PDB file of all heavy atoms in Angstrom:
ATOM      1  N   HIS A  30      10.675   5.471 -47.862  1.00  0.00           N
ATOM      2  CA  HIS A  30      11.759   5.344 -46.917  1.00  0.00           C
ATOM      3  C   HIS A  30      11.902   3.845 -46.542  1.00  0.00           C
ATOM      4  O   HIS A  30      12.242   3.487 -45.402  1.00  0.00           O
ATOM      5  CB  HIS A  30      11.382   6.095 -45.569  1.00  0.00           C
ATOM      6  CG  HIS A  30      11.316   7.551 -45.808  1.00  0.00           C
ATOM      7  ND1 HIS A  30      10.124   8.186 -46.273  1.00  0.00           N
ATOM      8  CD2 HIS A  30      12.201   8.575 -45.631  1.00  0.00           C
ATOM      9  CE1 HIS A  30      10.247   9.422 -46.397  1.00  0.00           C
ATOM     10  NE2 HIS A  30      11.495   9.731 -45.994  1.00  0.00           N
ATOM     11  N   LYS A  70       6.543  10.512 -40.388  1.00  0.00           N
ATOM     12  CA  LYS A  70       5.851   9.886 -41.539  1.00  0.00           C
ATOM     13  C   LYS A  70       5.790   8.364 -41.422  1.00  0.00           C
ATOM     14  O   LYS A  70       5.032   7.680 -42.002  1.00  0.00           O
ATOM     15  CB  LYS A  70       6.554  10.188 -42.877  1.00  0.00           C
ATOM     16  CG  LYS A  70       6.625  11.681 -43.224  1.00  0.00           C
ATOM     17  CD  LYS A  70       7.179  11.912 -44.628  1.00  0.00           C
ATOM     18  CE  LYS A  70       8.618  11.651 -44.652  1.00  0.00           C
ATOM     19  NZ  LYS A  70       9.509  12.555 -43.835  1.00  0.00           N
ATOM     20  N   TYR A 108      15.675  17.536 -44.917  1.00  0.00           N
ATOM     21  CA  TYR A 108      15.630  18.773 -45.839  1.00  0.00           C
ATOM     22  C   TYR A 108      14.556  19.737 -45.242  1.00  0.00           C
ATOM     23  O   TYR A 108      14.840  20.969 -45.111  1.00  0.00           O
ATOM     24  CB  TYR A 108      15.156  18.355 -47.178  1.00  0.00           C
ATOM     25  CG  TYR A 108      14.977  19.468 -48.159  1.00  0.00           C
ATOM     26  CD1 TYR A 108      16.094  20.017 -48.731  1.00  0.00           C
ATOM     27  CD2 TYR A 108      13.748  20.041 -48.527  1.00  0.00           C
ATOM     28  CE1 TYR A 108      16.047  21.115 -49.578  1.00  0.00           C
ATOM     29  CE2 TYR A 108      13.652  20.983 -49.451  1.00  0.00           C
ATOM     30  CZ  TYR A 108      14.794  21.492 -50.057  1.00  0.00           C
ATOM     31  OH  TYR A 108      14.692  22.506 -50.920  1.00  0.00           O
ATOM     32  N   TYR A 145       6.649   8.553 -54.696  1.00  0.00           N
ATOM     33  CA  TYR A 145       6.024   9.342 -53.573  1.00  0.00           C
ATOM     34  C   TYR A 145       4.833  10.025 -54.185  1.00  0.00           C
ATOM     35  O   TYR A 145       3.745  10.070 -53.446  1.00  0.00           O
ATOM     36  CB  TYR A 145       7.039  10.323 -53.089  1.00  0.00           C
ATOM     37  CG  TYR A 145       6.616  11.299 -52.009  1.00  0.00           C
ATOM     38  CD1 TYR A 145       7.037  11.063 -50.751  1.00  0.00           C
ATOM     39  CD2 TYR A 145       5.853  12.425 -52.217  1.00  0.00           C
ATOM     40  CE1 TYR A 145       6.652  11.918 -49.620  1.00  0.00           C
ATOM     41  CE2 TYR A 145       5.391  13.223 -51.158  1.00  0.00           C
ATOM     42  CZ  TYR A 145       5.824  12.938 -49.897  1.00  0.00           C
ATOM     43  OH  TYR A 145       5.392  13.820 -48.912  1.00  0.00           O
ATOM     44  N   TYR A 169       5.954  22.758 -47.317  1.00  0.00           N
ATOM     45  CA  TYR A 169       6.672  21.654 -48.011  1.00  0.00           C
ATOM     46  C   TYR A 169       5.885  20.460 -48.165  1.00  0.00           C
ATOM     47  O   TYR A 169       5.897  19.729 -49.150  1.00  0.00           O
ATOM     48  CB  TYR A 169       7.967  21.351 -47.122  1.00  0.00           C
ATOM     49  CG  TYR A 169       8.794  20.190 -47.682  1.00  0.00           C
ATOM     50  CD1 TYR A 169       9.414  20.262 -48.949  1.00  0.00           C
ATOM     51  CD2 TYR A 169       8.846  19.031 -47.039  1.00  0.00           C
ATOM     52  CE1 TYR A 169      10.059  19.250 -49.421  1.00  0.00           C
ATOM     53  CE2 TYR A 169       9.599  17.984 -47.477  1.00  0.00           C
ATOM     54  CZ  TYR A 169      10.189  18.107 -48.704  1.00  0.00           C
ATOM     55  OH  TYR A 169      10.911  16.994 -49.179  1.00  0.00           O
ATOM     56  N   ARG A 170       4.916  20.263 -47.230  1.00  0.00           N
ATOM     57  CA  ARG A 170       4.061  19.041 -47.295  1.00  0.00           C
ATOM     58  C   ARG A 170       2.816  19.285 -48.035  1.00  0.00           C
ATOM     59  O   ARG A 170       1.929  18.343 -48.096  1.00  0.00           O
ATOM     60  CB  ARG A 170       3.772  18.568 -45.794  1.00  0.00           C
ATOM     61  CG  ARG A 170       4.985  17.945 -45.148  1.00  0.00           C
ATOM     62  CD  ARG A 170       5.319  16.651 -45.677  1.00  0.00           C
ATOM     63  NE  ARG A 170       6.698  16.223 -45.225  1.00  0.00           N
ATOM     64  CZ  ARG A 170       7.588  15.508 -45.839  1.00  0.00           C
ATOM     65  NH1 ARG A 170       7.238  15.050 -47.077  1.00  0.00           N
ATOM     66  NH2 ARG A 170       8.655  15.172 -45.375  1.00  0.00           N
ATOM     67  N   HIS A 178       8.301  19.261 -58.020  1.00  0.00           N
ATOM     68  CA  HIS A 178       9.168  18.843 -56.919  1.00  0.00           C
ATOM     69  C   HIS A 178      10.726  18.952 -57.340  1.00  0.00           C
ATOM     70  O   HIS A 178      11.509  19.183 -56.428  1.00  0.00           O
ATOM     71  CB  HIS A 178       8.831  17.408 -56.458  1.00  0.00           C
ATOM     72  CG  HIS A 178       9.586  16.971 -55.251  1.00  0.00           C
ATOM     73  ND1 HIS A 178       9.437  17.578 -54.048  1.00  0.00           N
ATOM     74  CD2 HIS A 178      10.493  15.914 -55.057  1.00  0.00           C
ATOM     75  CE1 HIS A 178      10.244  16.961 -53.142  1.00  0.00           C
ATOM     76  NE2 HIS A 178      10.807  15.982 -53.743  1.00  0.00           N
TER      77      HIS A 178
HETATM   78  P1  ADP B   5      13.155  14.286 -45.796  1.00  0.00           P
HETATM   79  O1  ADP B   5      13.318  13.100 -44.993  1.00  0.00           O
HETATM   80  O2  ADP B   5      14.417  15.020 -46.126  1.00  0.00           O
HETATM   81  O3  ADP B   5      12.157  15.294 -45.153  1.00  0.00           O
HETATM   82  P2  ADP B   5      11.166  13.503 -47.577  1.00  0.00           P
HETATM   83  O4  ADP B   5      10.544  12.511 -46.643  1.00  0.00           O
HETATM   84  O5  ADP B   5      10.407  14.702 -47.848  1.00  0.00           O
HETATM   85  O6  ADP B   5      12.646  13.809 -47.180  1.00  0.00           O
HETATM   86  O7  ADP B   5      11.303  12.749 -48.932  1.00  0.00           O
HETATM   87  C1  ADP B   5      11.406  11.333 -49.209  1.00  0.00           C
HETATM   88  C2  ADP B   5      11.389  11.046 -50.770  1.00  0.00           C
HETATM   89  O8  ADP B   5      10.173  11.475 -51.268  1.00  0.00           O
HETATM   90  C3  ADP B   5      12.479  11.855 -51.459  1.00  0.00           C
HETATM   91  O9  ADP B   5      13.075  11.052 -52.480  1.00  0.00           O
HETATM   92  C4  ADP B   5      11.756  13.010 -51.919  1.00  0.00           C
HETATM   93  O10 ADP B   5      12.273  13.610 -53.131  1.00  0.00           O
HETATM   94  C5  ADP B   5      10.337  12.487 -52.221  1.00  0.00           C
HETATM   95  N1  ADP B   5       9.328  13.569 -52.090  1.00  0.00           N
HETATM   96  C6  ADP B   5       9.101  14.353 -51.040  1.00  0.00           C
HETATM   97  N2  ADP B   5       8.073  15.250 -51.247  1.00  0.00           N
HETATM   98  C7  ADP B   5       7.746  15.041 -52.566  1.00  0.00           C
HETATM   99  C8  ADP B   5       6.748  15.622 -53.367  1.00  0.00           C
HETATM  100  N3  ADP B   5       5.926  16.552 -53.020  1.00  0.00           N
HETATM  101  N4  ADP B   5       6.603  15.112 -54.684  1.00  0.00           N
HETATM  102  C9  ADP B   5       7.415  14.134 -55.121  1.00  0.00           C
HETATM  103  N5  ADP B   5       8.355  13.460 -54.298  1.00  0.00           N
HETATM  104  C10 ADP B   5       8.508  13.935 -53.058  1.00  0.00           C
END
Side-chain angles (χ1 to χ4, degrees):
H30 298 84
K70 296 186 289 297
Y108 183 75
Y145 181 103
Y169 178 65
R170 290 289 167 212
H178 186 63

